[in-house]
Amino acid sequence: MINKAMNNFQRKNNQLPYTTDDICYKEQKKARKLIQKIAKVDRSNFKRINKLIAKLFGKSENAFVIPPFFCDYGSNIFVGKNFFANSNCTILDVAKVTIGNNCFLAPNVSIYTAGHPIHPEIRSTGIEYGIEVVIGNDVWIGGNSVICPGVHIGNGCVIGAGSVVTKDIPDNTIAAGNPCKVIRSITDKDKEFYFKDRKFDSESWAFIQKKLNNEI
């Protein structure tokens, strides 16, 4: 154990090098018990899943997750309104993970704040770290994507399936690849299409307008 003014759990939360000790394990056990309960819930019991997620996360408002779901602590996950994570989502919340409103995670998305030193001799001591991840409002992350420690993703972004995001992504852009790179900006022209060159039909467009105008 590192003999400092802060204990290892406090060091972890302050993004400082730390070692996982009994204090950290105690907090992890709380999360794992809730994760186990979520795994056993009837998948159609949406209310029960919502309640357990609310207990697990540090902040949420009607967040919905399709099990199985995995995290380290849960208390370091802060999500906004209308958060949705599809099955097999993994969030290693050694450090804080902040996600804005109206964010969707496709299946098998992984968000990592946890890391280990590059040098093998130092890594073998068991010392590790966590660097926070921030995801803005209105972000959609495609399936099998990985968000690495320290990454900030801006508002209104789309991250293509299978991406490995190692660097910050600016607002209102489509980014994809390994490593993930910006492909183009998102513009008002994109409002017309739901998939590639397929335009919204009149009925769906009428629904969209009513929804945006808070008429339904």
Side-chain angles (χ1 to χ4, degrees):
M1 178 176 176
I2 299 173
N3 186 20
K4 294 290 183 180
M6 290 185 285
N7 64 38
N8 276 300
F9 187 72
Q10 292 168 327
R11 290 182 63 84
K12 175 188 74 64
N13 287 343
N14 281 277
Q15 303 184 72
L16 294 171
Y18 76 100
T19 56
T20 301
D21 58 11
D22 288 343
I23 299 173
C24 298
Y25 284 131
K26 182 179 179 181
E27 295 301 317
Q28 286 184 9
K29 285 179 181 179
K30 293 179 184 177
R32 291 179 186 187
K33 287 179 180 179
L34 283 169
I35 291 167
Q36 187 68 16
K37 287 182 180 180
I38 293 167
K40 292 180 178 180
V41 173
D42 184 328
R43 297 292 193 269
S44 66
N45 193 342
F46 302 143
K47 289 184 179 179
R48 176 64 173 160
I49 293 172
N50 281 350
K51 287 181 179 179
L52 289 171
I53 290 297
K55 288 183 179 180
L56 180 63
F57 286 4
K59 174 183 173 293
S60 66
E61 186 173 336
N62 200 35
F64 191 75
V65 170
I66 295 180
F69 173 81
F70 308 96
C71 68
D72 282 327
Y73 294 91
S75 57
N76 269 337
I77 301 172
F78 297 80
V79 303
K81 298 177 182 178
N82 303 319
F83 173 78
F84 172 77
N86 216 315
S87 57
N88 289 311
C89 178
T90 298
I91 301 180
L92 301 186
D93 60 321
V94 166
K96 190 174 182 180
V97 175
T98 305
I99 301 174
N101 299 325
N102 307 312
C103 288
F104 308 148
L105 310 185
N108 302 307
V109 166
S110 296
I111 299 173
Y112 303 149
T113 68
H116 306 272
I118 294 296
H119 196 283
E121 185 177 359
I122 304 301
R123 189 167 61 246
S124 69
T125 66
I127 200 163
E128 52 190 311
Y129 62 85
I131 307 296
E132 70 173 1
V133 168
V134 178
I135 298 172
N137 298 316
D138 305 299
V139 173
W140 176 23
I141 299 178
N144 294 293
S145 293
V146 176
I147 314 301
C148 292
V151 164
H152 288 211
I153 297 175
N155 298 320
C157 291
V158 174
I159 305 299
S163 295
V164 178
V165 189
T166 61
K167 296 181 179 180
D168 293 355
I169 305 297
D171 291 353
N172 301 308
T173 55
I174 298 172
N178 181 7
C180 187
K181 296 180 180 180
V182 173
I183 296 172
R184 68 174 179 87
S185 297
I186 297 171
T187 69
D188 283 346
K189 185 68 177 175
D190 290 300
K191 291 180 178 179
E192 301 177 25
F193 306 93
Y194 66 94
F195 179 72
K196 295 185 178 179
D197 60 349
R198 298 189 183 191
K199 289 190 175 184
F200 288 104
D201 62 278
S202 58
E203 289 185 13
S204 58
W205 189 248
F207 168 82
I208 290 168
Q209 293 302 306
K210 287 181 180 180
K211 193 75 173 179
L212 292 175
N213 292 328
N214 296 315
E215 296 174 10
I216 54 175

